[in-house]
Amino acid sequence: MEETIDIREILGLIRKRIGMIALITLLATGISAAVSFFALTPVYETSTTLMVNKAKDDVDRGIDYQDVMLSQKLVNTYGEIAKSKVVMGKVIKKLNLDISTTQIANKISITPVKDTEIMRITVSDSSPALAVKIADTTAQVFMEEVSRIMNVDNVQMIDRAETPADPVKPRKLMNVAIAAVLGLMMGLGLAFLIEFLDNTIKTPEDVERHMEMQVIGMIPVFEQIEK
């Protein structure tokens, strides 16, 4: 019985503060939508895939398990070379970019494809066309540097970067949905806080609950009659 009364009190509180709860939810949703759709710069992402295998001079010898394991380890080593200052500097020079090697490196991520000899060069930028250029140029410069540093020609491009049609960030609808949920939670929390801090007596039920006294009568409110 007590649990039923508590639930009713909670529902009654929500009904009493429904306007405030709805307002906070709408404000949070509206602010998130405005920021996501109009303030945040869209970010586009594209990638180039490369395959690392044994040197061409060893092709006639065949491929064994040790060659595959060595190639997988080389993927991690080559990933560091791909984001080196030398490679980044040459990419900047080739594309005539006015940014530092650190700034362009922050746009690029090198990830090995698990249990394969494939590495993926992913580029994120506000310009989809520039992202494609950076990805393909980084791959080309990287292959040249591997050939120069390692004196081997064992990296081949599998897929070139494609121009992305849609941005990966911001996730507008998800941001709005999260903001709506957070706004609702904030509204409910504020409503319960206000109710908890409010110790005034407004109804007969408040008298019985807080003062443990039974109400035997009520004084009505009369409107003043003008003479």
Side-chain angles (χ1 to χ4, degrees), residues 50 52 68 71-73 75 112-119:
L50 305 171
V52 178
V68 174
S71 295
Q72 291 179 1
K73 291 181 179 180
V75 168
V113 179
K114 187 177 180 181
D115 298 329
T116 69
E117 304 165 58
I118 297 173
M119 59 184 294

Side-chain angles (χ1 to χ4, degrees), residues 16-17 195 198-207 218:
K16 184 168 67 174
R17 306 287 182 180
E195 187 68 17
D198 185 7
N199 57 3
T200 58
I201 304 297
K202 297 184 180 70
T203 64
E205 291 77 11
D206 291 338
V207 175
M218 297 177 62

Side-chain angles (χ1 to χ4, degrees), residues 24 81 83 93 107 125 127-128 144 151 167 221:
I24 294 176
I81 297 176
K83 291 191 70 172
K93 187 175 180 180
K107 298 175 181 288
D125 194 85
S127 168
E144 294 171 358
N151 197 27
V221 177

Side-chain angles (χ1 to χ4, degrees), residues 24-90:
I24 294 176
T25 303
L26 289 175
L27 281 175
T29 305
I31 292 172
S32 175
V35 172
S36 298
F37 282 88
F38 302 107
L40 295 179
T41 302
V43 176
Y44 296 85
E45 189 175 275
T46 188
S47 60
T48 301
T49 53
L50 305 171
M51 183 169 185
V52 178
N53 49 34
K54 60 185 203 173
K56 290 183 178 180
D57 295 339
D58 297 332
V59 171
D60 295 336
R61 185 172 60 83
I63 299 176
D64 54 27
Y65 178 75
Q66 291 184 348
D67 292 325
V68 174
M69 294 301 297
L70 178 60
S71 295
Q72 291 179 1
K73 291 181 179 180
L74 280 176
V75 168
N76 295 322
T77 302
Y78 283 1
E80 296 300 318
I81 297 176
K83 291 191 70 172
S84 65
K85 291 183 178 179
V86 174
V87 173
M88 296 293 95
K90 290 187 176 182

Side-chain angles (χ1 to χ4, degrees), residues 97-134:
L97 301 176
D98 186 21
I99 57 176
S100 66
T101 55
T102 302
Q103 288 174 317
I104 193 171
N106 290 336
K107 298 175 181 288
I108 301 172
S109 63
I110 312 295
T111 54
V113 179
K114 187 177 180 181
D115 298 329
T116 69
E117 304 165 58
I118 297 173
M119 59 184 294
R120 181 175 289 112
I121 300 176
T122 303
V123 178
S124 301
D125 194 85
S126 58
S127 168
L130 182 58
V132 171
K133 290 180 181 179
I134 292 175

